[in-house]
């Protein structure tokens, strides 16, 4: 009897699954960061809510940790419809649209409130740009404030000269160039390996990424809280996939996206405190850069702002005017 029951349960589950697959759309959601990362956890909750609330019309299956597509591949995968939905670090896409890197310009927005204002000021143009590439924008969530990690103590600009530096976008490459560091672009998935092999010895990223990578295990002892920008991840959908949904389901997706965005910003704020503490608890020295270094980075930021404004042209001017 027990066995019969089990068989019935399995049969029923198979039937239900087939039914779901036949009656509704299924989207694969490509996520670059590990399942434990707050962006991935938030996206997973979003996917679950959409799947539950759409009454079988849309099922979203998440693939964290780059298991479907790696970070560097996700934008193109979604654009070409290989994945229907995905999350990508916006400021790595400056070649697609310079407006996508506005959130990585040093010292333009140095608090969550400013980051939100900059987001609102830039969102309309960014959404338009993505739309022209066949993409629907759903939501964006910032990483905690970016800080400087180093294997050795940094007390002056001279200490930074020649340091092998892990960069994650054009902006961090430019910071390295203007500082005299030697940059290599490396996706988050390869950070631990890059530090442990000695390929790099410094980077600028969030306390969250350092904590998730247990970066102290790779000889990184110092974290300097520069808090110069809050770069965001965005979630985008392929427009053909989007157009296959009825308007009621589209509305559900947008509602859940807006909820995920709010939740994501709250999780980020919490991580901005908790994860710095986690670095200190793991024995790292967590502090601020001194006045000389701060001045140096501010100068770098001013140069980069000018360069960005040139690249972004009149659309960029519009965003800056709306922000100020
Ligand atoms: N972590 C990601 C992007 C920004 C961040 O805080 C990374 O280091 O690649």
């Amino acid at each position: 009897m027990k066995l019969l029951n089990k068989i019935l349960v399995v049969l029923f589950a198979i039937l239900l699954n087939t039914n779901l697959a036949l009656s509704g759309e299924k989207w694969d959601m490509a996520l670059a960061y590990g399942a434990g990362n707050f962006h991935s956890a938030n996206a997973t909750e979003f996917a679950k809510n959409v799947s539950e609330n759409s009454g079988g019309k849309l099922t979203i299956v998440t693939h964290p940790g780059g298991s479907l597509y790696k970070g560097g591949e996700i934008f193109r995968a979604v654009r070409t419809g290989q994945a229907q939905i995905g999350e990508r670090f916006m400021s790595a896409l400056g070649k697609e649209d310079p407006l996508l890197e506005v959130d990585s310009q040093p010292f333009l927005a140095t608090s969550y409130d400013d980051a939100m204002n900059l987001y609102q000021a830039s969102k309309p143009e960014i959404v338009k740009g993505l739309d022209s590439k066949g993409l629907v924008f759903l939501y964006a969530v910032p990483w905690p404030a970016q800080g400087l990690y180093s294997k050795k103590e940094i007390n002056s600009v001279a200490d930074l000269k020649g340091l092998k530096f892990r960069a994650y976008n054009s902006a961090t490459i430019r910071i390295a160039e203007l500082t005299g560091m030697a940059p290599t672009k490396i996706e988050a998935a390869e950070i631990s390996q890059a530090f442990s092999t000695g390929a790099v010895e410094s980077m600028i990223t969030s306390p969250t990424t350092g904590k998730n990578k247990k970066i102290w295990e790779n000889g990184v002892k110092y974290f300097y809280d520069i808090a110069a920008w809050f770069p965001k991840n965005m979630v985008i959908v392929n427009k053909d996939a989007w157009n296959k949904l009825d308007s009621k389901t589209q509305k559900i997706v947008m509602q859940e996206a807006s909820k995920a965005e709010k939740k994501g910003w709250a999780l980020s704020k919490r991580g901005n405190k908790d994860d710095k503490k986690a670095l200190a608890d793991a024995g790292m020295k967590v502090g601020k850069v001194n006045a000389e270094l701060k001045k140096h980075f501010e100068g770098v930021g001013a140069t980069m702002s000018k360069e960005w404004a040139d690249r972004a042209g009149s659309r960029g001017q519009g965003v800056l005017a709306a922000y100020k």
Side-chain angles (χ1 to χ4, degrees):
M1 191 58 198
K2 255 191 167 170
L3 185 68
L4 188 68
N5 261 346
K6 268 189 192 155
I7 292 173
L8 279 177
V9 166
V10 170
L11 275 180
F12 186 70
I14 292 173
L15 213 73
L16 199 76
N17 254 327
T18 328
N19 205 13
L20 269 183
L22 287 179
S23 63
E25 297 296 322
K26 181 195 163 228
W27 285 0
D28 285 307
M29 183 171 200
L31 303 169
Y33 305 94
N37 186 282
F38 79 94
H39 288 287
S40 300
N42 195 36
T44 301
E45 195 177 323
F46 158 79
K48 185 171 155 270
N49 289 343
V50 169
S51 304
E52 281 174 8
N53 295 342
S54 74
K57 291 257 181 71
L58 174 61
T59 306
I60 304 180
V61 180
T62 50
H63 302 270
S67 54
L68 188 62
Y69 292 101
K70 294 207 170 82
E73 304 164 342
I74 289 175
F75 186 78
R76 206 183 51 159
V78 177
R79 201 174 166 185
T80 57
Q82 288 167 293
Q84 292 79 12
I85 181 169
E87 180 190 57
R88 179 58 174 150
F89 186 50
M90 294 169 79
S91 58
L93 296 166
K95 290 207 177 77
E96 297 288 341
D97 182 355
L99 289 202
L100 288 167
E101 44 182 12
V102 72
D103 65 16
S104 288
Q105 301 312 309
F107 300 104
L108 189 56
T110 57
S111 68
Y112 275 99
D113 283 347
D114 283 355
M116 177 52 91
N117 288 339
L118 184 59
Y119 172 41
Q120 296 304 341
S122 56
K123 188 175 165 185
E125 275 302 319
I126 286 175
V127 171
K128 249 190 254 169
L130 291 168
D131 178 73
S132 72
K133 292 176 194 285
L135 293 162
V136 179
F137 174 92
L138 291 193
Y139 68 85
V141 169
W143 292 87
Q146 305 291 291
L148 174 68
Y149 288 83
S150 172
K151 287 189 176 180
K152 64 167 201 182
E153 196 171 349
I154 307 291
N155 289 315
S156 66
V157 182
D159 289 338
L160 290 166
K161 286 261 164 341
L163 272 194
K164 288 181 274 178
F165 177 81
R166 176 256 168 173
Y168 57 51
N169 61 8
S170 310
T172 46
I173 289 176
R174 191 66 185 131
I175 292 174
E177 285 169 357
L178 293 168
T179 301
M181 297 186 282
T184 312
K185 198 167 160 210
I186 294 167
E187 289 288 334
E190 268 86 53
I191 287 177
S192 301
Q193 202 195 358
F195 275 94
S196 67
T197 58
V200 297
E201 52 201 338
S202 62
M203 68 175 166
I204 295 180
T205 187
S206 56
T208 307
T209 291
K211 182 200 84 176
N212 288 350
K213 299 287 165 189
K214 295 198 170 73
I215 200 67
W216 53 87
E217 290 182 356
N218 299 125
V220 180
K221 295 199 185 77
Y222 299 91
F223 178 79
Y224 299 94
D225 191 13
I226 312 177
W229 68 97
F230 294 80
K232 297 184 294 299
N233 284 357
M234 66 176 173
V235 172
I236 46 174
V237 175
N238 177 281
K239 214 195 273 180
D240 292 337
W242 179 254
N243 288 335
K244 286 193 189 139
L245 303 179
D246 61 31
S247 62
K248 194 171 154 227
T249 309
Q250 288 179 342
K251 213 172 140 206
I252 289 169
V253 175
M254 283 303 180
Q255 276 166 356
E256 291 304 330
S258 145
K259 270 164 58 186
E261 184 167 280
K262 272 205 197 81
K263 174 105 190 266
W265 282 70
L267 288 172
S268 180
K269 275 183 204 168
R270 197 193 302 162
N272 197 39
K273 282 206 189 101
D274 293 354
D275 297 344
K276 251 179 277 184
K277 188 172 172 296
L279 298 182
D281 288 348
M284 287 181 66
K285 292 226 162 65
V286 174
K288 303 262 177 211
V289 285
N290 63 28
E292 180 209 334
L293 281 157
K294 181 147 197 285
K295 201 161 155 243
H296 167 75
F297 284 121
E298 281 170 355
V300 166
T303 305
M304 288 175 58
S305 284
K306 281 198 206 94
E307 293 173 348
W308 180 83
D310 284 348
R311 271 203 312 285
S314 60
R315 289 167 71 233
Q317 299 302 330
V319 168
L320 292 180
Y323 175 54
K324 280 161 189 164

